[in-house]
Amino acid sequence: MSAVHSTSAVGQRGWLLPLWIGAGVYLFQFVGGNDLLQDSDIFWQIEVGRWIIDHHAVPYSDIYSFTKPGAPWISSSWLSQLLYAASDAQAGWAGVVALSALAIAATFALFAQFLQRYVEPALATLLVMAAYVLSIHHLLARPHILAMPVMVAWFAGLISAADARRAPSLWLLPLLALWANLHGGFGLGLVLLGGVALEAVWSATPARRVALGLRWMLFGFGAVAACCCTPYGYETLLASRRILDLGQVLAILSEWAPADFSRFGAFEASVLGLLGFALYRGLTLSPPRILLVLGLLHMALSHVRSIEAFALLVPLIVARPWSAQLGGAPQAVAVPSRRGLALAAVGALTLFAASLVAAPYLRFALVADQVPKAAVAVLQQRGAERVFNAYEFGGYLVAAGVKPFIDGRAELYGEKFVVAHHRAVAMRDPDLLPRLLDDYRIDATLLAPSSPAVKLLDRLPEWQRVYSDAVAVVHARR
């Protein structure tokens, strides 16, 4: 901290703080890599990536389930899936963990790089820690993690252009195209673009507003075109929209659930702290920036998966007003020299290589309660082909070569199908489960021991329990 504390040091060694933060985050995430492996969706994500590598093409229809065979489906995260599959092929779960940890480290390094322009290094570090704590619940080895550094870089480029009263650099367009290939959340980038463009025009002098507005509008057209620079073209935009049209499904899946304030937590503390600080110190924002903050807050309140966007983007929105109104002039942060960038790159690659060498001693494994390995072995021995499975087991079934009833691709199955499955497993409608088992000619079930449906199957005369353990219960039709 002492090496980067003074303003002169920040100008000369502006790359040191982001480098140390990135290295610290990477080590913390890699050593605790099992925390990244808490979601079995990574199984089918890797399988899709393997299919892409093997066939040198991207999928256009379902090839995994027996309930939607051949149904239209495109992967809006095809590039992330390919990268995860390649990492898994090279180093197993250690490769998956290392790739995810590298993306998370890059995210917070970029976050720190932007913040240190406007606040002291100590405060920038505290803000990084706060954003990390708010995001940690959604730091999982999944495609959205690989898109996080792109999101931060995209928004930092936009808000920097607005602060300078100019149009954004055209070099941001390839960045958005990369986001569109990594994850379906790129639509947020377009929404943010509209809000920042409004801020740029609002803050410009009256004489420049029309010209500047036209330049931002042209950039917006380029951004939409960049989002279509994927193997699927404009269908990528439609696929991203379908996820948001799932209706009741968003209330069923935990990551789409609204924020829970029944217990005091970090998110509530951050919202109250931001409000209290603004009231106490008189921090004011322009109307477009207020809309951006309120929009991100609404997203975070509506879906817990959006809390990390709130944590990472709101500080970028308020950084310049904070500095101008409360902290004096912005810091003089020099552009990193080629030597500085080279040293940072060498350090990052050395850390990455060292972590892979140490990986065999850390024994990474996916969370046990989503890996029904023994139960699936029983199903395979019995030759079960039509298995009614719990939602969380779908990814593992795909990886094991067993066609699932349902998996994490909710946009493929649709709102009606996913809701019916949820109601049947949760016994919201006692007659629904037997009807689904008959309609889809199910010959075995694979459910969690705590599932209410297990108790019903134990009582149905045409079904018998053939296997159970702490992870899963298997019933077979008599």
Side-chain angles (χ1 to χ4, degrees):
M1 292 303 301
S2 61
V4 294
H5 182 71
S6 68
T7 301
S8 59
V10 171
Q12 298 169 4
R13 304 170 184 171
W15 53 275
L16 273 178
L17 180 64
L19 176 63
W20 282 115
I21 285 177
V25 170
Y26 178 82
L27 284 173
F28 187 80
Q29 286 293 160
F30 185 79
V31 173
N34 286 334
D35 292 336
L36 295 171
L37 302 175
Q38 297 290 313
D39 193 326
S40 61
D41 271 2
I42 189 61
F43 279 117
W44 70 260
Q45 303 277 8
I46 290 175
E47 289 303 313
V48 172
R50 287 174 179 166
W51 189 92
I52 293 172
I53 293 173
D54 293 341
H55 294 81
H56 304 285
V58 291
Y60 281 86
S61 60
D62 175 43
I63 55 176
Y64 295 112
S65 77
F66 68 87
T67 49
K68 297 287 182 178
W73 177 74
I74 66 174
S75 175
S76 57
S77 305
W78 73 272
L79 183 55
S80 293
Q81 291 157 350
L82 186 151
L83 293 173
Y84 274 126
S87 300
D88 178 70
Q90 291 298 316
W93 287 124
V96 173
V97 167
L99 178 63
S100 302
L102 190 63
I104 296 169
T107 298
F108 289 97
L110 290 169
F111 183 66
Q113 172 67 23
F114 181 89
L115 287 180
Q116 70 172 352
R117 303 178 190 175
Y118 302 104
V119 300
E120 290 293 327
L123 181 55
T125 304
L126 288 175
L127 290 172
V128 168
M129 294 170 64
Y132 181 82
V133 170
L134 287 174
S135 305
I136 199 167
H137 72 285
H138 205 217
L139 297 183
L140 302 168
R142 285 174 47 187
H144 73 276
I145 286 297
L146 303 189
M148 276 177 55
V150 180
M151 176 186 72
V152 172
W154 165 258
F155 188 73
L158 293 180
I159 203 72
S160 296
D163 290 340
R165 310 292 188 268
R166 57 174 174 80
S169 169
L170 295 179
W171 287 107
L172 290 176
L173 296 179
L175 201 63
L176 184 59
L178 175 62
W179 191 354
N181 286 277
L182 286 171
H183 187 248
F186 67 90
L188 174 62
L190 295 177
V191 175
L192 295 172
L193 171 59
V196 179
L198 184 60
E199 161 66 15
V201 175
W202 180 280
S203 303
T205 59
R208 295 195 60 223
R209 282 178 180 169
V210 174
L212 188 60
L214 288 174
R215 293 177 66 186
W216 275 86
M217 185 180 298
L218 290 174
F219 182 84
F221 290 136
V224 174
C227 292
C228 298
C229 294
T230 74
Y232 299 107
Y234 71 90
E235 292 184 25
T236 303
L237 293 169
L238 302 179
S240 179
R241 177 63 189 174
R242 289 191 198 105
I243 297 175
L244 298 177
D245 289 336
L246 287 173
Q248 296 182 53
V249 174
L250 301 185
I252 294 172
L253 303 180
S254 59
E255 64 179 321
W256 289 97
D260 180 13
F261 292 117
S262 61
R263 295 182 180 178
F264 186 77
F267 178 50
E268 182 179 359
S270 68
V271 173
L272 295 177
L274 181 63
L275 178 61
F277 182 83
L279 293 173
Y280 179 71
R281 295 298 301 271
L283 177 65
T284 59
L285 303 175
S286 64
R289 288 184 192 253
I290 292 175
L291 287 176
L292 283 169
V293 171
L294 293 180
L296 290 167
L297 178 58
H298 170 73
M299 289 174 54
L301 292 172
S302 302
H303 310 297
V304 292
R305 63 175 289 147
S306 298
I307 292 178
E308 71 263 24
F310 171 85
L312 290 167
L313 302 184
V314 167
L316 305 189
I317 295 171
V318 303
R320 188 175 185 276
W322 178 321
S323 175
Q325 298 173 37
L326 308 174
Q331 300 283 349
V333 179
V335 176
S337 64
R338 290 184 180 180
R339 181 173 178 271
L341 289 174
L343 288 173
V346 170
L349 290 174
T350 302
L351 187 62
F352 185 72
S355 64
L356 292 181
V357 172
Y361 303 98
L362 296 177
R363 296 184 181 180
F364 299 112
L366 203 94
V367 58
D369 61 4
Q370 296 188 30
V371 184
K373 185 176 181 180
V376 171
V378 171
L379 290 171
Q380 292 173 325
Q381 290 172 3
R382 298 178 65 91
E385 296 181 353
R386 303 178 73 85
V387 179
F388 181 90
N389 62 279
Y391 187 87
E392 63 271 21
F393 294 156
Y396 183 78
L397 287 175
V398 171
V402 178
K403 291 185 178 296
F405 183 91
I406 192 171
D407 54 64
R409 298 169 297 162
E411 72 279 11
L412 164 67
Y413 297 98
E415 178 184 7
K416 183 178 179 181
F417 186 94
V418 177
V419 171
H421 175 270
H422 174 74
R423 289 177 60 83
V425 172
M427 293 299 295
R428 300 291 176 83
D429 181 354
D431 297 328
L432 182 56
L433 179 61
R435 188 163 63 248
L436 288 177
L437 298 179
D438 291 338
D439 290 346
Y440 286 95
R441 306 192 310 278
I442 302 299
D443 49 34
T445 66
L446 178 68
L447 300 171
S450 60
S451 172
V454 168
K455 297 180 180 179
L456 176 63
L457 289 167
D458 283 337
R459 295 196 301 267
L460 292 177
E462 63 269 31
W463 291 88
Q464 67 177 117
R465 182 185 291 219
V466 297
Y467 179 81
S468 64
D469 59 23
V471 178
V473 177
V474 175
H475 285 83
R477 194 183 292 271
R478 293 184 186 273

